[in-house]
Structure formats: C-alpha cells, structure tokens
Amino acid sequence: MNVHPAAEPSWNGLAESRPTLDSRAYFGAEEYARDLRDIWYRNWVHVCRSSELAEPRDFRLFRLGDQEILLLRGENGGLRAFHNTCRHRGSALRTEDSGRLKSRLIVCPYHAWSYSLDGDLVRVPSKSCPAGFEKADHPLYRVAVAEWRGFVFVNFGAEPGASMDGSFDVDPGVLADWPLEAMTSAHVFRKTMNCNWKIFWENYNECLHCPGVHPELSALVPIYGRGLMDRHDDPEWAAHADDTAPEFSGTLRHGAETWSSDGSAHGRAFPELGDRERAAGQTYVTHLPSIFVVGHVDYVRAVSLRPLSPTQTELTAEWFFTPDTLPPTAEELDNIVSFGRLVLEQDAAICEVNQRGLASGRHERGVMMPEEYEIARFHDWVRAQSR
C-alpha cells in the first residue's frame, strides 16, 4: 500500500464516480504490446542490486518483453548497458545469465567481432574491410543505466547518462536514514503470478481488500483493518484528527515494532532512525512501473515486478539487512520473512482472482470507490504514457 501524505488536511477520497481502465487492458495482446512499448521500454525499470555486479567485467543479462540487455561493470567501476546484440549480423553477445568476462573485450561468439567495455568496436576478423567501413560507426547499442542507493535501473527510451531524478512517487530522501547501499540480501522470494502487472499495482494502491484478504496484516496495522491506508482516507477523519490510536494514525498496533509474525524486531534497529520513522513502522518509496521499497525499523524490503505476458507477471521480493540488524538465528529471520511472504501470497492469490473475472464478455470496465483514489492516480499515469 502506497501512502501519500495529503497536501492539505483534507479528505483523500474521490469525490465523483470514475471508471477503471477497459478490461482488455489486462489481457489483450495489443494492449500488452502497447504497455511494453509505451511504459516498460520508456521508463526506468529496476534490474538488480549493484552488488550483483560487484567487480570489473562482471556481467548480467536482463530480459524484458522481447528485449535483452547486457549489463556490465567497467574497469573504472561504472556500469554500462547494451542491447545483447552484435552489430555484425545481430547475434547475441552473451548467452549465460551472468558471469565475468575473461578479458577486457566483449567478443561475439559467432564471428568474433570484439568491443571494448565501453561498447566501441575495436576488432573484426575479416581479412579486409569494405570501402567506407569505419569501426567507429558500429558501436554496441547503448542503453541508459543508473544506480540508486545500491539498486540498478535501465531505461530503453533515455539517452545514456540520463538521470533518474524526479522519477519516484515521493522524495526518495524519506529513506535517507536507512543504509541501503550497505545492506545485503538475506532472503529472496520469487513467484509467477497469473495476472496482468497492472492488477498487482492496483491492489497495492488500495486497502479496501485488507480486512478480508489480509487478516494478519490488518491486526498488525489496525487502520488497514478499517479498509483505509491513511488517516485522511476516512471522510470523517476530522472527528479523530488528534487521536493517536493506531486505527486512526496508521501506525503499527501498540507494542509492535516491525512487520513480522509476532510484531517484534528480531535484530538491532537501525540507529539513525528518528522517533517518527520508528513509530510509523513502514516507510514506502515507489518507482513505477517496476519496484517499491519499504523501510522497517530493522530491515528493508524491496518488491519488484516484470511482465511476462498479458496475464502473467514475475514478482521478486528481497529482505535486506546490515550485519548489525540481521537476526541472530534462522528461526528469527523466518519470523520476519514468513510474514512478508504471507502478505505477498495473499496479494498474489487475490490478484489472480481479479484477473480471472475480467474475462467476462459483459464486463467492459469497472468503477472506483472513493478510497481507491490512488488507483485513479495510477490509471491517469498509465493513460498518460500512451499520449
């Protein structure tokens, strides 16, 4: 659930009825191709952690739709990204998902055209070159790549060197007190969901489903049990404006410290967090279309998406700790991870139920209720991408 603080102390809800996207947006082949072209190929998309490309010449392949990207750590420590395509006759440059180059050259396995780690063509095996052929005219197809606090992103539609500034839903500085760069992954959960990628984001952006779908989460975050994400989602919020009870303020239940099965932190809390961050229990940063990152008092959770087809989406969740905050036993780590996995499994299951019903020939589109104002914003964002 993505919580945007109100610009003014007012009700967040939609004041008038609004339609959803057309149903074909969730299963149509043409609509899916448009999503790839206008959204996934034109925006910054999360790929991996920087630590997965730790040393010079480390590489990794990333597949999105029908595109395949070669990510590479250069000798100077910078990241490079290229289409995994040789400029000779289009062969794939690498076939392994990840590894380390044996030399300072990217060598095509088909005809041995060789490129520098910056993507410049430096060698061809032909005994002679045709008139007018210049190596400088045939570099690899470069792709914009950026690192944000240990997370790697690519953007097919941006020029190399482009900035990610302004592409987050809120100021990512809200996570400044979490040492994201120094954290390592302690657990990875990966699942293929039988739903369109937009259905997951819609579910993420409302909590009307929380009381029925997430009883455990609703007990931990009592405002979710009221079907709300934020104090100002309640049209009668002013009557409880000064009430600090969790069911009105949005904090964790009394006595709880973090998202875990028992509500307890099982490792040392991050020392730089302020009282407000500790009390909130969760601090979200979202980057459409591919990832959200959540800071908890003792760990960070990142959930990323990758569309596989009109009706399938890969979900990857990771739990990050520093050596100081890592729970001391496997049982205590599982207390944290199992709770997050439960919530994601519940979300995946209900998203698949949503997808199943959209196939009705009678259902052209749905309607949003006042609490679904974040879905309305998401739909506006989706529509704007195709203009």
Side-chain angles (χ1 to χ4, degrees):
M1 280 65 65
N2 190 22
V3 179
H4 288 276
E8 298 178 357
S10 59
W11 180 46
N12 287 338
L14 296 174
E16 58 187 17
S17 179
R18 292 188 55 174
T20 66
L21 300 175
D22 292 349
S23 292
R24 285 196 59 82
Y26 305 95
F27 59 79
E30 292 183 8
E31 289 76 5
Y32 176 67
R34 186 167 60 241
D35 279 357
L36 290 177
R37 182 192 70 219
D38 294 344
I39 297 176
W40 290 89
Y41 296 165
R42 291 184 182 175
N43 286 282
W44 289 102
V45 174
H46 173 249
V47 178
C48 63
R49 284 284 287 176
S50 299
S51 56
E52 296 178 53
L53 296 157
E55 301 295 329
R57 304 199 310 275
D58 282 354
F59 71 87
R60 177 185 173 130
L61 297 185
F62 174 65
R63 299 176 185 87
L64 178 62
D66 59 1
Q67 301 299 296
E68 190 167 73
I69 300 303
L70 172 63
L71 287 152
L72 176 67
R73 181 73 69 184
E75 291 289 340
N76 64 356
L79 278 181
R80 304 288 185 269
F82 313 101
H83 284 270
N84 187 30
T85 302
C86 180
R87 290 297 301 270
H88 178 207
R89 282 168 46 200
S91 170
L93 296 163
R94 307 301 303 183
T95 57
E96 316 95 315
D97 286 340
S98 61
R100 180 174 297 169
L101 298 179
K102 295 179 180 179
S103 71
R104 296 180 181 180
L105 292 176
I106 304 168
V107 181
C108 176
Y110 198 1
H111 299 103
W113 278 37
S114 301
Y115 304 84
S116 72
L117 300 188
D118 290 326
D120 296 318
L121 179 62
V122 296
R123 185 185 304 161
V124 296
S126 299
K127 302 302 182 290
S128 64
C129 290
F133 179 87
E134 298 290 343
K135 293 187 181 71
D137 296 334
H138 301 278
L140 294 179
Y141 300 108
R142 294 180 171 91
V143 175
V145 59
E147 294 181 83
W148 172 76
R149 304 204 59 197
F151 293 89
V152 179
F153 292 77
V154 298
N155 187 330
F156 297 173
E159 291 296 321
S163 171
M164 288 181 62
D165 291 349
S167 60
F168 292 87
D169 70 323
V170 297
D171 181 357
V174 300
L175 292 177
D177 291 337
W178 280 267
L180 298 183
E181 297 90 340
M183 304 182 78
T184 58
S185 175
H187 185 81
V188 179
F189 168 66
R190 187 168 285 110
K191 181 180 181 67
T192 297
M193 302 183 295
N194 293 314
C195 68
N196 183 272
W197 66 275
K198 295 187 293 295
I199 288 179
F200 181 88
W201 280 122
E202 291 172 359
N203 179 79
Y204 169 79
N205 276 310
E206 53 91 353
C207 220
L208 282 176
H209 72 281
C210 290
V213 174
H214 300 302
E216 299 84 1
L217 178 59
S218 295
L220 180 66
V221 189
I223 199 170
Y224 293 171
R226 298 176 60 216
L228 306 174
M229 296 189 297
D230 179 77
R231 182 192 291 275
H232 294 91
D233 290 3
D234 184 351
E236 304 298 327
W237 72 269
H240 307 282
D242 299 320
D243 197 329
T244 60
E247 60 266 31
F248 300 111
S249 67
T251 59
L252 303 182
R253 70 169 184 259
H254 291 306
E257 301 172 280
T258 193
W259 278 39
S260 63
S261 294
D262 61 7
S264 299
H266 290 268
R268 180 170 174 257
F270 296 112
E272 300 301 321
L273 300 186
D275 293 340
R276 183 174 181 178
E277 293 163 328
R278 295 173 188 273
Q282 62 268 321
T283 299
Y284 285 82
V285 167
T286 304
H287 193 285
L288 292 175
S290 63
I291 189 172
F292 68 87
V293 181
V294 194
H296 299 284
V297 299
D298 52 340
Y299 67 96
V300 168
R301 186 165 45 96
V303 178
S304 61
L305 302 180
R306 184 169 62 111
L308 301 178
S309 76
T311 58
Q312 283 197 318
T313 303
E314 180 185 71
L315 178 148
T316 302
E318 290 193 74
W319 285 257
F320 297 99
F321 299 82
T322 63
D324 288 342
T325 64
L326 183 67
T329 68
E331 291 76 15
E332 289 176 290
L333 175 61
D334 183 66
N335 196 287
I336 289 172
V337 170
S338 62
F339 184 81
R341 285 187 59 163
L342 171 67
V343 174
L344 289 173
E345 291 276 18
Q346 291 167 338
D347 280 328
I350 203 63
C351 286
E352 291 177 349
V353 170
N354 193 170
Q355 181 74 47
R356 182 172 175 175
L358 286 167
S360 168
R362 299 285 299 278
H363 187 78
E364 295 183 1
R365 65 189 60 84
V367 61
M368 285 176 278
M369 301 308 291
E371 297 90 341
E372 295 169 317
Y373 62 94
E374 286 286 7
I375 296 181
R377 292 178 184 175
F378 172 64
H379 286 180
D380 288 343
W381 180 85
V382 169
R383 294 185 182 102
Q385 303 300 300
S386 296
R387 292 174 185 167

